[in-house]
Amino acid sequence: MSTTDDLVLKKQQLREQAEARVAEAPRSVENLSSDDLRNLIHEYQVHQIELELQNEELRATQHQLEQVKNQYAELFNNAPAGYLVVNSQGLITKANQTFARMIGREGHGFANRPLTELVVPEDRSSLLGRFKAFFKNPEGKLLDFRLFGKNDETVHARCVGRRDMLVKVLPQDDKKDADQKLLLMVSDITDQVRSDEALKKSEEKYRELVENAPMGIFQSTPEGRYHTVNTEMARLCGYPTAKEMIETVTNIATQLYARPEDRKIYKKKLLADGEVKNFEAELVRQDGTTFWASMNTRMKHGNDGGVIFDGFLLDVTERCLAEQELHLSHQRLITVLDGIEALIYIVDMDTYEILFINAYGRQLVGDSAGKTCWEVLQQGQDGPCAFCTNDKLLKDGKPTGTYEWSFKNTMNQRWYLCQDSAIPWIDGRFVRMEMATDITERKLLEDEVRRYNDELQALLAEKDKFFSIIAHDLKSPMSGLLSLAKVFAEDAENMAIQELREMSTAMCKSTERLYALLENLLHWALVQQGLIGFSPQPLNLHELVHNSIESLRSVAELKRVTIQNSTSGNLELMADQPMITTVVRNLVSNALKYSGNEGSVTISGSQNGDKVEVAVRDTGIGMDQKTQAHLFALDRKTIRPGTQGEHGTGLGLILCKEFIEKHGGEIRVESEVGQGTIFYFTLPAHN
């Protein structure tokens, strides 16, 4: 029954009550007084006004009820979900406009139509099979089926049954059989179904992609077990199937890592940062062989709130082995470069930055990689060196080969032979590599050889001149001897005895001079060739001088020159006796030659450290500085006649010098014209 019917019934009841009260009145109108009539008329007027007011209120209420009814109808029809009221036979008794729009039909055309007529044939049997149980107890159940939509499209519908809401949506006259009907709230889940289907296809594609991916894909727990692995992951780790790997590997650290501590490092970094990129570790296959893997992993939380590691793995064994070989090759190269006894460094040709320096260089200037070459390797530079070879190493952008040069370093003043070349660096640019070998010793040797060569050339020149002098000296006595011999041969029978005696005496002196010259020359030649024996032995200086001058006393007596041996009997020499005897005899002979009558010659000696110095002093004619300067020179003739016209060979002092230097000693002269001469020479002392 509707609300309007209720109001009509209530009005009728009020009418009846009013008439009943009038009938019960004790008096009739005829018996009423004027005042009573006036009062009665007043009451009726008041009551009439009350009734009119009640009628107005009733009409307003009826209007509100109509508005509510219209609002309900509008809400019912425009609800966001489709509403159907069906009975136990599946007939539709009421449907809202939302449901009608959902399937593209008019709302009034559903009354008493079977729901199955709206369902696609493929879903009807399934709907009928489930409808009875659903109708009886719809709580917590869903009923999905497909409906015919507009333009021959299919609408995926999902129904929820609500019997408790039925009384709120049924008209008043239909509520009496509400228990035989069911309110279906129908939702269009077409988009959701399509999304689910697309998601399902996407998941299938993803699963196919994961299974066929050329890399190992895994999902593991922090405790060290795998949730999932793909086929490639199982293959890389040597397991027949992914399932077997998941079941077999119960501790990733000990079963899969060659060094379990690597797993700890990986896990610690992953938990701290939330992800790990390019983590490399050596893994162990099921058969015990190993391979190198690079892992990229992210940490996430699963549906249960637990931590899960999602990641993928690549086999990088070949790259790692290549890197190891490259590292070994690099180490071998560094070892070779560090083992070379030369400075090797590499410099950027634009910035002059040192990119590499070997151990020899580091020992020389420290580890200077990253510094500027001209600041490190040179001294006093405020810019690139003027002698830098960068411009000589490249032509038209191409290396020109090795450029070799030498220079004296401004920092340590040592000589280096430099070999520079442009080589490609690891980034493709050209850099300068220099190998600088220390040639200081070689330079010194070259200088010494050059000096020796100069000295040798000078000696050869001296010898050439010396031989020329000797030849001249030999020629003079030989010429005189030849002339005398020729005169003697041609005119000997006509000569007097005195003439023959004088000629014989002259021939004898010439022969003696010639013999002395040849003897000295022979000694000198033997010394130069190293053919004279050298046998140093302990000698007493006093005895040696005594024995050396005995043969010269007759010469001294003829010139009335005194010879005095002032050497100490305690001085011991370490010398070759024949050589030093020759030295003493030559020096004393020279002293006698240039001493006048009543002169004297004194031989003395003294020890100074490990040397003994011997002095031969005369009181003769002396010599000037010019003569002294050439006494021991081969290329200068210093022969002077003695005080009685004696002639020398010019080789005596040269022999003395050779013999003294053979002993490691020195010989020198002090003299002044008219003041006599002193010859000093040193010899090693014994002990």
Side-chain angles (χ1 to χ4, degrees):
M1 184 179 292
S2 66
T3 304
T4 304
D5 294 337
D6 289 341
L7 292 173
V8 172
L9 178 62
K10 186 175 181 180
K11 184 176 181 181
Q12 185 178 353
Q13 289 174 348
L14 288 173
R15 177 80 179 184
E16 291 175 354
Q17 290 176 2
E19 289 178 351
R21 286 186 180 185
V22 171
E24 291 175 358
R27 291 183 296 178
S28 63
V29 177
E30 292 85 358
N31 296 325
L32 295 176
S33 63
S34 300
D35 294 333
D36 291 335
L37 286 172
R38 284 193 295 272
N39 291 334
L40 181 62
I41 292 169
H42 176 73
E43 289 181 4
Y44 281 155
Q45 289 175 339
V46 171
H47 183 65
Q48 184 177 4
I49 292 171
E50 288 178 351
L51 288 176
E52 289 176 356
L53 292 173
Q54 288 177 355
N55 287 334
E56 289 178 2
E57 184 179 353
L58 180 61
R59 284 193 296 273
T61 302
Q62 288 178 336
H63 179 69
Q64 290 177 355
L65 287 174
E66 288 296 327
Q67 287 181 332
V68 170
K69 182 177 179 181
N70 293 335
Q71 289 174 355
Y72 161 74
E74 184 177 355
L75 289 173
F76 179 78
N77 285 317
N78 296 319
Y83 286 146
L84 290 178
V85 179
V86 297
N87 60 19
S88 58
Q89 285 76 39
L91 296 177
I92 299 173
T93 62
K94 192 174 182 62
N96 68 351
Q97 289 296 325
T98 302
F99 178 77
R101 286 192 297 271
M102 187 185 301
I103 61 176
R105 302 193 184 187
E106 296 295 331
H108 59 271
F110 297 115
N112 298 319
R113 289 187 63 181
L115 177 60
T116 54
E117 287 185 5
L118 305 177
V119 177
V120 298
E122 294 83 1
D123 291 355
R124 289 174 184 173
S125 59
S126 174
L127 176 61
L128 291 173
R130 296 182 59 196
F131 183 77
K132 186 176 182 181
F134 182 81
F135 186 87
K136 184 177 181 181
N137 184 19
E139 297 298 329
K141 296 179 181 179
L142 297 174
L143 196 61
D144 291 351
F145 48 83
R146 289 174 292 172
L147 300 170
F148 288 112
K150 58 183 177 180
N151 300 327
D152 295 329
E153 292 182 354
T154 300
V155 177
H156 291 266
R158 174 168 291 168
C159 297
V160 177
R162 298 290 297 272
R163 186 168 280 110
D164 58 327
M165 293 182 62
L166 195 60
V167 294
K168 299 179 180 179
V169 300
L170 286 176
Q172 189 67 30
D173 56 351
D174 291 340
K175 289 183 179 180
K176 58 183 181 296
D177 58 350
D179 58 341
Q180 299 299 316
K181 295 179 182 179
L182 182 66
L183 174 65
L184 298 180
M185 290 181 286
V186 184
S187 300
D188 184 352
I189 61 170
T190 303
D191 291 340
Q192 180 182 343
V193 170
R194 289 173 180 171
S195 296
D196 290 345
E197 289 176 350
L199 179 62
K200 184 178 180 181
K201 290 180 181 179
S202 177
E203 288 177 348
E204 289 175 354
K205 289 181 180 179
Y206 172 75
R207 190 175 296 108
E208 182 181 359
L209 179 65
V210 168
E211 286 301 315
N212 297 320
M215 65 184 71
I217 300 175
F218 63 88
Q219 192 177 72
S220 65
T221 67
E223 293 73 27
R225 296 208 62 161
Y226 284 112
H227 277 178
T228 59
V229 297
N230 69 341
T231 303
E232 180 65 9
M233 178 75 174
R235 186 193 70 78
L236 289 173
C237 296
Y239 291 88
T241 64
K243 181 181 179 182
E244 183 173 342
M245 181 176 178
I246 294 172
E247 293 174 351
T248 304
V249 179
T250 58
N251 189 320
I252 296 174
T254 58
Q255 290 180 257
L256 203 63
Y257 279 74
R259 288 172 291 279
E261 59 270 18
D262 287 347
R263 167 74 178 180
K264 294 180 181 179
I265 297 171
Y266 160 82
K267 177 181 171 182
K268 182 178 180 181
K269 184 171 179 60
L270 191 54
L271 292 174
D273 301 338
E275 66 175 349
V276 171
K277 292 184 178 180
N278 303 320
F279 183 86
E280 293 186 359
E282 188 177 12
L283 303 184
V284 182
R285 297 188 182 93
Q286 189 180 30
D287 61 4
T289 59
T290 63
F291 69 101
W292 281 90
S294 175
M295 290 171 280
N296 288 265
T297 313
R298 284 186 178 178
M299 182 182 72
K300 72 174 187 178
H301 294 278
N303 296 329
D304 58 356
V307 175
I308 296 176
F309 298 158
D310 280 348
F312 65 88
L313 174 150
L314 293 171
D315 184 348
V316 294
T317 304
E318 291 185 4
R319 178 176 62 78
C320 286
L321 293 177
E323 288 177 352
Q324 289 176 3
E325 181 59 32
L326 181 62
H327 178 71
L328 288 175
S329 298
H330 176 73
Q331 289 301 114
R332 293 189 194 104
L333 177 60
I334 295 299
T335 301
V336 170
L337 294 177
D338 283 347
I340 295 175
E341 283 296 312
L343 167 63
I344 299 176
Y345 67 97
I346 296 174
V347 176
D348 185 287
M349 298 180 74
D350 293 324
T351 65
Y352 301 95
E353 176 191 354
I354 297 177
L355 305 174
F356 167 81
I357 186 167
N358 70 341
Y360 184 94
R362 294 194 296 272
Q363 185 177 4
L364 191 66
V365 296
D367 190 358
S368 52
K371 299 180 181 178
T372 306
C373 62
W374 49 264
E375 291 179 325
V376 173
L377 301 176
Q378 301 299 327
Q379 191 174 44
Q381 291 288 131
D382 56 3
C385 305
F387 48 80
C388 183
T389 60
N390 281 356
D391 59 338
K392 298 178 176 63
L393 304 181
L394 290 173
K395 184 176 181 180
D396 299 328
K398 296 181 180 179
T400 58
T402 301
Y403 179 77
E404 189 172 294
W405 58 293
S406 61
F407 84 114
K408 191 175 185 179
N409 186 269
T410 58
M411 183 175 293
N412 59 12
Q413 303 302 313
R414 298 188 68 83
W415 281 92
Y416 290 91
L417 174 65
C418 302
Q419 295 172 303
D420 296 1
S421 56
I423 63 171
W425 195 235
I426 54 178
D427 55 6
R429 59 178 162 158
F430 282 106
V431 295
R432 171 165 56 89
M433 182 179 74
E434 178 170 292
M435 182 170 72
T437 306
D438 190 335
I439 59 169
T440 305
E441 302 303 325
R442 193 178 85 182
K443 271 284 186 181
L444 293 175
L445 287 175
E446 288 177 353
D447 292 343
E448 190 171 357
V449 168
R450 191 177 297 108
R451 181 173 59 82
Y452 285 158
N453 187 56
D454 292 342
E455 290 179 358
L456 180 59
Q457 294 298 324
L459 286 174
L460 290 175
E462 286 182 6
K463 286 184 179 180
D464 290 342
K465 194 167 185 180
F466 171 71
F467 288 141
S468 175
I469 293 171
I470 291 299
H472 181 271
D473 287 349
L474 285 173
K475 182 179 180 181
S476 295
M478 284 296 294
S479 297
L481 185 60
L482 182 60
S483 297
L484 290 173
K486 186 176 181 181
V487 170
F488 186 78
E490 292 178 350
D491 199 26
E493 64 276 4
N494 297 322
M495 290 183 179
I497 296 299
Q498 183 62 30
E499 290 178 329
L500 290 174
R501 186 179 290 112
E502 290 175 357
M503 188 175 293
S504 298
T505 301
M507 291 177 65
C508 181
K509 288 182 178 181
S510 294
T511 304
E512 286 176 352
R513 282 185 60 200
L514 183 60
Y515 178 79
L517 180 60
L518 290 174
E519 186 178 30
N520 284 337
L521 184 60
L522 178 61
H523 276 89
W524 180 82
L526 291 174
V527 169
Q528 296 301 309
Q529 297 176 51
L531 298 178
I532 290 183
F534 179 67
S535 301
Q537 58 184 331
L539 299 173
N540 183 274
L541 179 61
H542 186 80
E543 291 180 1
L544 185 141
V545 171
H546 175 76
N547 295 331
S548 300
I549 65 177
E550 279 304 308
S551 61
L552 299 174
R553 287 198 179 274
S554 58
V555 177
E557 290 174 355
L558 288 175
K559 298 187 70 171
R560 297 193 298 277
V561 176
T562 304
I563 301 177
Q564 185 176 355
N565 181 2
S566 298
T567 58
S568 171
N570 297 325
L571 288 177
E572 297 289 327
L573 306 175
M574 193 67 181
D576 182 274
Q577 183 174 358
M579 287 188 180
I580 302 307
T581 299
T582 301
V583 170
V584 173
R585 188 186 301 121
N586 266 286
L587 293 178
V588 173
S589 177
N590 281 345
L592 291 173
K593 185 190 305 182
Y594 298 109
S595 295
N597 293 336
E598 306 302 330
S600 65
V601 176
T602 304
I603 303 100
S604 60
S606 63
Q607 184 168 348
N608 184 14
D610 60 349
K611 297 289 185 180
V612 172
E613 186 176 66
V614 180
V616 178
R617 184 191 307 268
D618 66 61
T619 58
I621 61 176
M623 67 186 84
D624 56 23
Q625 293 296 321
K626 184 178 180 181
T627 304
Q628 292 179 47
H630 301 129
L631 281 178
F632 304 104
L634 283 174
D635 60 341
R636 296 297 181 95
K637 184 175 181 180
T638 56
I639 298 175
R640 297 183 300 157
T643 55
Q644 294 183 357
E646 302 98 325
H647 293 280
T649 64
L651 285 177
L653 290 177
I654 294 174
L655 277 176
C656 290
K657 183 175 183 292
E658 294 281 354
F659 287 163
I660 294 300
E661 290 180 350
K662 187 76 172 178
H663 285 76
E666 295 179 351
I667 186 169
R668 59 190 176 88
V669 62
E670 292 181 1
S671 181
E672 291 184 17
V673 176
Q675 299 298 319
T677 301
I678 307 174
F679 279 93
Y680 296 94
F681 65 90
T682 58
L683 294 171
H686 179 52
N687 297 328

